[in-house]
Amino acid sequence: LGGWGGCKTCSDVFSTPKARKEFSKSVLALNKSFNTDGLDLDWEYPTIKGYPDHPFKPEDKSNFTALIKGLRKTLGSQYEISFAAGGFQKFLDESVDWLSIMKIVDRVNIMSYDLINGYSGATGHHTALYSNSQQKESTHNAVQYLIKIGVPRSKIVIGAAFYARVWENVPADNNGLYQAGKFKRSVGYRNFPKVLDGFQWFWDETSQAPYAYNSTAGLFATGDDKKSLAVKTKYAIDQSLNGIMFWELSHDVYKDGLVDAIYQVKAGM
């Protein structure tokens, strides 16, 4: 349920016991009808600003907890409940009551991408595995935050990006990394060869993330590739996490793509 731009009514609907109960009943009915195994909630975001003009309020935090409790009561133990969480620090600090809800849900899917978003006005790694001196936001930062406050490793899923974010009007300093710029567009992995033609690719050893720069056009790109996906999958295994997820499958190529990169590391465990 939800997604970026897909949860405009969430703050209002989930603010009353009656509406939460009706919603939970509808989730149960849909799971029975389609013979599916649960629900993944993607409210972007409780408590803090998300999609432009989508309502949010401080009460969202407690209402989200009440929603999760109501869903579990209605769905019972046979259905899964998970939720997508922003991987950035403000969400981690303010949006949800972690210790209350993690006792109830099966897993949290950390959206450890878009960490540098279209509103930032500067470039960076949008899906960095590790932090560096110029960028705190990273997959590892989110994972370690959750572990330190008591979230079980076995309920943490990290996220990967099957797309790049591209900035324009980017100076050539540092091959465009951590420079001023204007967000231009997103590009699915399967379209990298066509859209990112003329870019030179680089690897940030500290962040364990690729990035690319087109010096002729002043364009910068950041995203995941097969190398970074292999490193992230190994990270999930080494950290004893629940797994790795990605957005989205339609961006991959049909053969020898990013899903294959994940599977090859998993198969070699």
Side-chain angles (χ1 to χ4, degrees):
L1 171 91
W4 184 249
C7 214
K8 185 174 184 177
T9 60
C10 287
S11 183
D12 292 334
V13 170
F14 297 147
S15 64
T16 69
K18 182 176 183 292
R20 291 194 297 267
K21 187 173 183 179
E22 289 176 353
F23 174 76
S24 297
K25 286 182 177 180
S26 73
V27 171
L28 178 61
L30 284 169
N31 274 293
K32 287 181 175 179
S33 176
F34 291 110
N35 195 30
T36 44
D37 65 2
L39 174 73
D40 182 58
L41 284 162
D42 187 6
W43 177 357
E44 300 185 32
Y45 306 100
T47 315
I48 65 173
K49 181 177 175 57
Y51 191 84
D53 300 324
H54 279 203
F56 63 98
K57 54 183 179 289
E59 294 80 10
D60 291 341
K61 187 172 185 176
S62 59
N63 290 338
F64 188 78
T65 302
L67 173 65
I68 295 294
K69 289 180 177 178
L71 279 166
R72 181 55 76 200
K73 182 178 180 180
T74 301
L75 297 178
S77 60
Q78 69 269 40
Y79 291 101
E80 292 195 0
I81 302 173
S82 62
F83 72 100
F88 55 96
Q89 197 63 52
K90 188 172 180 64
F91 182 99
L92 298 171
D93 287 336
E94 301 178 25
S95 286
V96 299
D97 182 352
W98 287 103
L99 297 186
S100 294
I101 59 180
M102 291 309 299
K103 294 175 183 177
I104 305 168
V105 301
D106 294 279
R107 66 186 56 80
V108 54
N109 297 311
I110 304 174
M111 296 183 286
S112 44
Y113 39 76
D114 294 337
L115 300 178
I116 301 293
N117 59 47
Y119 308 104
S120 63
T123 67
H125 296 297
H126 95 81
T127 182
L129 178 56
Y130 292 103
S131 307
N132 61 41
S133 60
Q134 291 181 274
Q135 181 177 331
K136 176 184 178 181
E137 306 286 17
S138 70
T139 302
H140 183 69
N141 177 70
V143 169
Q144 296 308 307
Y145 175 91
L146 295 181
I147 291 171
K148 286 176 182 177
I149 64 172
V151 175
R153 293 173 182 265
S154 60
K155 288 190 174 186
I156 298 173
V157 176
I158 60 172
F162 280 22
Y163 62 98
R165 284 180 160 270
V166 180
W167 274 257
E168 60 185 350
N169 304 324
V170 179
D173 295 351
N174 200 27
N175 297 309
L177 183 61
Y178 303 123
Q179 304 300 314
K182 180 183 177 184
F183 176 69
K184 181 178 176 65
R185 62 175 295 187
S186 293
V187 181
Y189 178 73
R190 62 189 173 90
N191 291 321
F192 278 16
K194 178 176 65 176
V195 179
L196 301 184
D197 183 40
F199 282 70
Q200 182 180 358
W201 285 89
F202 305 92
W203 178 259
D204 185 327
E205 196 65 40
T206 302
S207 296
Q208 293 287 286
Y211 61 102
Y213 186 67
N214 184 321
S215 58
T216 302
L219 299 172
F220 173 88
T222 165
D224 274 319
D225 60 10
K226 288 195 284 186
K227 181 178 179 179
S228 66
L229 259 291
V231 173
K232 283 181 176 174
T233 304
K234 186 177 186 302
Y235 175 88
I237 295 168
D238 291 346
Q239 292 284 327
S240 300
L241 305 182
N242 187 260
I244 184 170
M245 62 88 175
F246 49 84
W247 181 268
E248 61 172 279
L249 184 61
S250 67
H251 290 326
D252 203 5
V253 294
Y254 287 104
K255 185 178 181 181
D256 192 27
L258 299 182
V259 170
D260 298 272
I262 293 171
Y263 177 77
Q264 285 163 10
V265 175
K266 180 178 181 293
M269 289 171 58

